[in-house]
Amino acid sequence: MSDSDEAKMSGDEEKDIKEEPLNDSEIDDITNEENIMKVLIATDIHLGYEQTTKRAQEDDSFRTFEEILQYARDHEVDMVLLGGDLFHEAKPPHNVVMKCLELLRTYCLNDKPVKIQFLTDPEAVFSHCAQKVVNFEDPNLNVGIPVFSIHGNHDDPSYGAVGSMDVLSATGLINYFGKWTDVTQVSIAPLLIRKGVTTIALYGLSYMNDQRLSRLMRNNKFHMLRTDKADDPFNIFVLHQNRAMHSQNSYVPENLLPDFINLVVWGHEHECLIEPQHSKLNPKVHIMQPGSSVATSLAQGESVEKKVAILNIFKSKFKMNYLKLKTVRPFVFEDLVLNDYNDEISSYKSRQDAVEEFVDNYIENTLITKATEQLTAHPKQPQAPLIRLRVFYSEDRDVFDTLQLSQKYYHVTANPNDMILFRKCSSKLKKKDIKVQEQDLGEVSEIFRFDENEKDWKRTVQGGMTEYFNKPDKVNKLTVLSLTGLNESLARFVNANDSNAFKDLVKYQMEKSVSRLVKQELKTKDDILSAIKDYRDSRLHQQQEAKSEEESFFDARKNLPAKADNASRDEDDLKMEDNDEDVEEEPAPTRGRGRGRGRGRGRGTTSKAKETTTTPAKRGRGRASKNVTALDVTTTRGNQSINSWMSKSSKKAKSVILDSDSDSE
């Protein structure tokens, strides 16, 4: 250790921490490497991002994960600590799991001696794992770099079921901790790890529904257990939750974090704010937000330089070494306000053509240049950059078709089709007036269609759907599909990347409605529609039972991603949620995979979810008259009962039901 490192460790250059002067024995201890624990910290790796799209970014996550493991090997760290979302999907494809296993085997299994000791009963802290042992003490494995990880919302297993992190744990390559399945209370016991005279108490909490966790903390049902097996350990808490307040109580309040925690490692937020800072709401606690190692959305928070950190701990003192990730794809995010350049935009062409030419030159000469400056000369760094240019315009004639520019930059950038995003603004707006918001307000405005003067940024997509379908003139728009089911599907689509949520819900609720109808003697179209509405009304009067049933359906599906904390709960917890005045539908935050202290919000996931939920209604309107005619003909011939007719023409019956869902008033 260098003299400068010793000075930092002793607190001489650590601005955030005031330490007492060291005595001679402490100086001897601190100069001994055997007493300093080195932990590499990273979060939100998102292995497998863009694997299904076959875009240019499909291997980005693996390149950077390998770089992180190389840093761990080259700096001879004692352990690696991951803060969730190792995988991008709850049920990652086999090739993604295989690549992950190959990298972990290559860098973590070796003859390097492990210098840390595990002091906690593994049977207790790894009770959820198939192998209830810390991997570097397993006689069947030769672990050189232990990896400890919680799970995030993207690799969240279904309630009580096996997820991707459980599989890695069973292989012995990951020490999977912090999995919690009790939704009525949380009591976290620490993992005690020692090296020389230094002991850390590692607390972990894998992803939980933010509103539920916030409620448990507010109701004093969240506890972090202290230990008497170690004197004055260095306490680390790693979690994977919303940090910024995107809606009421859908985040973890920093002021409710225990004061005895020395350092909080905050996963889930993608903007790299890696230098530990005193929490403004809880000054006794240091918080570090490593951010993601790969950009999963074209958001401003994702464009911040990405790093990982090596945490050096000596007793109660710590310092950080920051390591820039050199394999990250260049990403330039910038705003262009046309009002600032009216004098430079050519007046010899049509305004639209002139603006297009100006934007083209700006991308080529300014943004591409900035992207080139981000190249690190690392042999594995991708060369084609991500570009996001938000163009603020005040007149509609400034908007042009971006297809031509997309074709021009097809082999130059990684995202040629979505480089440019238009934003309407006042004719008086200048770039200096644009303030960084905790969310991309323009994108949220489009989703919720707020009036420009009446924005309520605490609203959610689920809340908007509830308000819409509860209007008197819209109440009959949903008859087969339930509102609680649609909201639950949306939450799973966004939070767990569950692409089958809507399709499975439609199939499940249609089949359930058909099953109910065939038990009744229904002979005419009006009888069928009336029975469907009666069934809808009965569900509305028993919303909580219907919601619980739908959640159980989702979590019972096999080989599909599901949300862990919305699954089969006990009645007391359900009643508690009903009576919680702060929570109506437990909405999920509107998010894609770029998150950064609220700014790194992704667009794609939310808009896709919205499109998916509205598709059935659009299809239904186009088939209504044809299907009703088929029903009339069928019931006229021989005056058959509905039971007999459905057994012969189930496809037609299902079409009629879906149409009534969309068109009945």
Side-chain angles (χ1 to χ4, degrees):
M1 178 175 287
S2 65
D3 293 339
S4 60
D5 285 343
E6 292 177 22
K8 289 183 181 180
M9 183 68 77
S10 63
D12 295 345
E13 295 183 15
E14 186 64 59
K15 297 180 180 179
D16 292 333
I17 305 174
K18 296 181 180 179
E19 299 290 350
E20 296 294 331
L22 299 177
N23 56 42
D24 292 339
S25 62
E26 287 179 315
I27 293 176
D28 291 338
D29 286 340
I30 205 170
T31 56
N32 185 353
E33 287 284 351
E34 299 301 315
N35 293 321
I36 299 173
M37 192 176 300
K38 299 173 68 174
V39 183
L40 187 146
I41 298 177
T43 66
D44 296 87
I45 309 295
H46 287 275
L47 292 177
Y49 173 68
E50 293 290 13
Q51 279 288 301
T52 57
T53 62
K54 299 299 180 183
R55 293 173 59 180
Q57 299 165 256
E58 63 176 302
D59 291 325
D60 287 9
S61 59
F62 297 104
R63 293 189 190 99
T64 306
F65 186 45
E66 182 173 16
E67 182 185 8
I68 292 171
L69 294 177
Q70 287 174 341
Y71 274 140
R73 178 196 62 191
D74 296 344
H75 288 264
E76 298 184 341
V77 301
D78 295 301
M79 58 180 281
V80 174
L81 178 61
L82 303 179
D85 279 359
L86 175 60
F87 293 102
H88 187 65
E89 298 181 29
K91 304 294 182 182
H94 290 168
N95 67 310
V96 173
V97 177
M98 183 184 70
K99 288 181 181 179
C100 176
L101 293 174
E102 289 175 346
L103 290 172
L104 289 171
R105 282 179 56 87
T106 300
Y107 291 96
C108 298
L109 298 185
N110 53 58
D111 293 327
K112 174 180 174 290
V114 175
K115 299 179 181 180
I116 57 177
Q117 297 175 284
F118 195 73
L119 307 180
T120 308
D121 179 8
E123 291 280 344
V125 293
F126 298 126
S127 60
H128 57 279
C129 299
Q131 306 297 327
K132 298 173 178 54
V133 60
V134 66
N135 65 354
F136 58 86
E137 292 183 356
D138 189 333
N140 299 313
L141 296 173
N142 199 16
V143 176
I145 303 178
V147 179
F148 290 80
S149 181
I150 63 173
H151 75 246
N153 58 304
H154 274 250
D155 43 25
D156 184 4
S158 58
Y159 187 88
V162 172
S164 54
M165 298 303 294
D166 293 286
V167 173
L168 290 186
S169 172
T171 66
L173 295 173
I174 290 281
N175 296 297
Y176 176 29
F177 71 109
K179 184 177 181 180
W180 195 261
T181 56
D182 188 342
V183 297
T184 63
Q185 57 89 30
V186 173
S187 297
I188 307 175
L191 281 64
L192 293 179
I193 304 172
R194 176 181 294 165
K195 182 182 180 184
V197 298
T198 299
T199 302
I200 67 170
L202 180 60
Y203 296 83
L205 179 64
S206 294
Y207 171 78
M208 290 183 65
N209 176 277
D210 289 290
Q211 289 182 324
R212 176 179 295 112
L213 179 57
S214 175
R215 182 184 65 244
L216 293 176
M217 296 178 79
R218 287 182 283 116
N219 292 342
N220 198 31
K221 294 184 178 180
F222 174 88
H223 305 285
M224 299 178 71
L225 308 178
R226 303 292 294 270
T227 177
D228 56 1
K229 294 184 179 180
D231 296 330
D232 194 24
F234 186 85
N235 300 289
I236 303 175
F237 179 33
V238 55
L239 75 166
H240 191 98
Q241 305 290 153
N242 279 341
R243 185 179 180 187
M245 186 180 71
H246 304 296
S247 63
Q248 187 174 13
N249 294 323
S250 64
Y251 70 107
V252 173
E254 294 179 10
N255 62 304
L256 296 183
L257 295 172
D259 291 342
F260 70 86
I261 296 296
N262 298 96
L263 180 67
V264 175
V265 178
W266 209 301
H268 191 51
E269 303 285 3
H270 278 207
E271 182 179 3
C272 183
L273 302 173
I274 199 166
E275 295 187 24
Q277 300 291 332
H278 284 292
S279 170
K280 295 180 180 179
L281 299 176
N282 194 347
K284 295 183 179 180
V285 176
H286 284 81
I287 297 178
M288 66 177 298
Q289 180 180 303
S292 66
S293 61
V294 62
T296 60
S297 71
L298 300 175
Q300 190 169 15
E302 293 274 25
S303 65
V304 176
E305 185 177 66
K306 296 186 180 297
K307 302 177 182 178
V308 294
I310 294 182
L311 169 65
N312 298 270
I313 309 168
F314 172 74
K315 293 186 176 180
S316 62
K317 307 174 180 65
F318 74 92
K319 76 176 184 70
M320 293 282 186
N321 293 333
Y322 306 106
L323 304 172
K324 177 181 177 180
L325 293 174
K326 299 178 181 179
T327 58
V328 173
R329 184 180 297 275
F331 179 19
V332 176
F333 182 103
E334 192 156 320
D335 293 325
L336 176 64
V337 182
L338 295 179
N339 296 334
D340 291 334
Y341 300 96
N342 283 328
D343 295 338
E344 300 178 35
I345 297 176
S346 173
S347 59
Y348 298 101
K349 298 181 178 181
S350 69
R351 175 70 179 184
Q352 192 175 71
D353 291 342
V355 170
E356 181 176 1
E357 182 181 90
F358 182 81
V359 170
D360 182 11
N361 290 331
Y362 193 84
I363 292 174
E364 182 173 356
N365 299 318
T366 302
L367 302 189
I368 298 298
T369 299
K370 289 184 177 181
T372 303
E373 294 171 354
Q374 295 183 19
L375 295 176
T376 63
H378 192 288
K380 292 188 177 182
Q381 184 185 29
Q383 301 295 300
L386 293 168
I387 299 291
R388 170 45 64 91
L389 179 64
R390 293 195 304 186
V391 179
F392 289 81
Y393 68 96
S394 56
E395 299 183 34
D396 292 339
R397 65 193 180 113
D398 292 343
V399 180
F400 58 88
D401 187 351
T402 61
L403 178 61
Q404 185 173 346
L405 285 185
S406 299
Q407 293 174 338
K408 175 180 177 180
Y409 292 97
Y410 188 79
H411 295 291
V412 179
T413 66
N415 62 314
N417 296 322
D418 50 10
M419 292 188 302
I420 301 171
L421 194 65
F422 288 101
R423 286 281 176 262
K424 188 72 176 284
C425 68
S426 165
S427 60
K428 298 180 181 180
L429 180 72
K430 301 295 183 181
K431 185 174 181 178
K432 62 182 179 62
D433 300 322
I434 298 179
K435 297 180 180 179
V436 176
Q437 301 293 332
E438 287 208 340
Q439 290 184 342
D440 187 336
L441 302 186
E443 293 169 3
V444 178
S445 178
E446 285 185 357
I447 294 169
F448 291 106
R449 300 178 184 175
F450 289 130
D451 180 81
E452 193 66 26
N453 297 320
E454 296 182 359
K455 293 184 175 69
D456 177 6
W457 305 118
K458 292 183 179 180
R459 294 185 60 184
T460 61
V461 175
Q462 287 91 336
M465 289 171 61
T466 301
E467 181 180 341
Y468 176 83
F469 286 113
N470 283 337
K471 292 180 179 179
D473 60 333
K474 300 294 191 299
V475 69
N476 285 322
K477 288 290 184 182
L478 286 180
T479 50
V480 173
L481 297 180
S482 68
L483 179 59
T484 56
L486 287 176
N487 279 334
E488 180 65 18
S489 298
L490 178 58
R492 291 170 185 269
F493 181 91
V494 173
N495 277 355
N497 204 29
D498 186 349
S499 58
N500 294 313
F502 292 102
K503 179 183 69 176
D504 291 346
L505 172 75
V506 171
K507 181 180 179 182
Y508 166 70
Q509 294 194 328
M510 285 175 58
E511 290 179 347
K512 188 175 178 181
S513 297
V514 170
S515 176
R516 183 182 178 90
L517 292 175
V518 297
K519 297 177 182 179
Q520 306 179 48
E521 293 294 329
L522 305 174
K523 298 181 179 297
T524 68
K525 171 190 67 177
D526 292 338
D527 290 342
I528 295 175
L529 297 181
S530 178
I532 292 173
K533 290 183 180 180
D534 289 343
Y535 182 34
R536 184 272 316 275
D537 293 340
S538 69
R539 291 203 313 263
L540 290 177
H541 289 300
Q542 299 177 341
Q543 280 194 7
Q544 191 57 61
E545 290 81 354
K547 180 179 180 182
S548 179
E549 182 180 328
E550 287 155 355
E551 291 172 345
S552 298
F553 156 72
F554 276 113
D555 292 319
R557 295 178 303 163
K558 295 182 179 180
N559 301 321
L560 288 172
K563 228 177 133 190
D565 44 62
N566 271 343
S568 47
R569 326 167 190 187
D570 58 24
E571 293 183 2
D572 292 338
D573 186 53
L574 292 172
K575 291 177 182 178
M576 180 170 60
E577 289 182 8
D578 275 344
N579 296 330
D580 191 342
E581 61 183 6
D582 296 323
V583 184
E584 294 182 5
E585 289 292 331
E586 292 196 359
T590 322
R591 59 178 293 278
R593 285 329 333 157
R595 315 179 54 127
R597 189 79 175 149
R599 291 190 317 204
R601 291 282 173 185
R603 299 170 51 251
T605 304
T606 303
S607 58
K608 184 175 180 182
K610 177 186 173 188
E611 177 185 346
T612 308
T613 57
T614 57
T615 300
K618 293 180 180 178
R619 291 178 179 173
R621 294 188 181 94
R623 297 197 306 265
S625 59
K626 179 178 178 180
N627 290 325
V628 171
T629 302
L631 178 59
D632 289 339
V633 172
T634 306
T635 53
T636 302
R637 293 177 182 173
N639 195 24
Q640 296 175 325
S641 69
I642 188 66
N643 297 29
S644 175
W645 180 80
M646 283 188 173
S647 65
K648 296 180 179 180
S649 308
S650 58
K651 291 184 178 179
K652 293 182 181 180
K654 291 182 179 181
S655 297
V656 174
I657 292 173
L658 185 56
D659 293 334
S660 69
D661 182 26
S662 302
D663 298 332
S664 298
E665 296 294 342

